[in-house]
Amino acid sequence: MMGQESFTPLKRPGGGALLPATFANGLPRTNRPTSRARHIHRTFNNIKITILCGFVTILVLRGTVGLGNLVSSESESENLHLIEETNRIISEIRSDNDPDDNVTYTDFNPNATYTLGPKIINWDQQRKLWLNLNPQFPNYINGKAKILLVTGSPPNPCDNSIGDHYLLKAIKNKIDYCRLHGIEIVYNMAHLDTELAGYWAKLPLIRRLMLSHPEVEWIWWMDSDALFTDMVFEIPYSKYDNYNMVIHGYPDLLFNQKSWIALNTGSFLFRNCQWSLDLLDEWAPMGPKGPIREEAGKILTANLKGRPAFEADDQSALIYLLISQKDEWMNKVFVENSYFLHGYWAGLVDRYEEMIEKYHPGLGDERWPFVTHFVGCKPCGSYGDYPVEKCLRSMERAFNFADNQVLKLYGFRHRGLVSPKIKRIRNESVTPLEFVNQFDIRHSVCKSV
């Protein structure tokens, strides 16, 4: 569906405008293993782990049925080695790295910079022609732009099982919102470019989806740790007819204070057009892992107020780009703060009861936040900026706060904002359609249009 045919990110002559020339032209490139070699290695690992797990199972069974006395000290040593080898391979499979990812920084062109792919210069014309030739795939339906929500998570299991559980809740929440508002959704679990892992993985994915789905007018990226908490609110797309990017932030923090948190890339929209492809091309060169990302991080820390010293991240790089090239990009960027396209969780989750008492869904702002984003929680990882218990409890409250808005149509709600259990809130009726007209969120949306 996503057209993920194998390709190798290319090098384009000349330094990227985003980076100072001495930086962009002086950093090494990495050798990239072939996809075939990578596939063979992983297949071999899978075979090894299957055989080794079988051996471990036999060993356990032998001990269980009382044959342990027949095992010599030599075989015990072999058994221990098998267990260690099994654990090593499991760790390797769970890891983001392949043996071939041990990079060497010797094969590089000092006059080349990283690119996401072949430079495309006439995408608007190509896309317009395609839409004309394929009227069965319109980019507008009944005057409403076609939206594709994009989210995802790493290809490996979380460090803890509860993390996987909350990833499931997060995608369920997004599927509910998309179903109610006629939005298509893509959930990605693949690194399309291993050099742009971590924060940066969204960039090659967004580009590939744009090029593979010309019928989509807007690509809407949302982090896996962000939840819809106003299931009625709809983005006012007509407000952005003259813009190509919509992102939550504050212009004063961006241009006057040059703050590293002036914008948030956890939830933003890109129009499917040439301008967006060009911005992605300018945004990406700080992203390749290794010395490039580390050196770029030093530049960002030196130029953005309050930024700690760490490797380059996509949010800081975008802020730096928009500040340093304001005249080129900002006329098509809408910095939105009239509603919560991104709402910082710490100031919201403990106010849900107050919101329920005083307000109603459909507002999207601080009274009833559109999106609650759990920045710094990292439920899937083994570390975070906040205590795990606080994060999980807060995520549970946010999920149930949103889920109650969905369950209302069916006559149920959660027993409490921290409880997964539900209770009935009205009796069955012989005229059920009256409840559809009264409680279906889709009717609320239609009335507000």
Side-chain angles (χ1 to χ4, degrees), residues 82-97:
L82 282 173
I83 294 172
E84 290 175 348
E85 179 71 359
T86 301
N87 290 334
R88 182 191 67 77
I89 295 176
I90 291 174
S91 298
E92 185 176 298
I93 291 173
R94 292 175 66 98
S95 170
D96 187 36
N97 300 317

Side-chain angles (χ1 to χ4, degrees), residues 15 84 118 146 154 175 192 225 239 257 271 278 288 424 444:
E84 290 175 348
K146 191 166 187 178
I175 290 172
L192 303 190
D225 59 355
K239 182 179 180 180
Q257 300 187 40
R271 189 183 296 277
D278 292 342
R424 185 181 296 276
S444 301

Side-chain angles (χ1 to χ4, degrees), residues 12 117-127 207 211 273-275 277-278 281:
R12 188 168 70 249
K119 178 65 176 176
I120 296 174
I121 59 175
N122 60 343
W123 176 240
D124 290 343
Q125 293 81 358
Q126 291 187 53
R127 181 168 176 258
R207 183 181 189 272
L211 300 179
C273 64
Q274 182 67 51
W275 182 96
L277 293 176
D278 292 342
D281 284 344

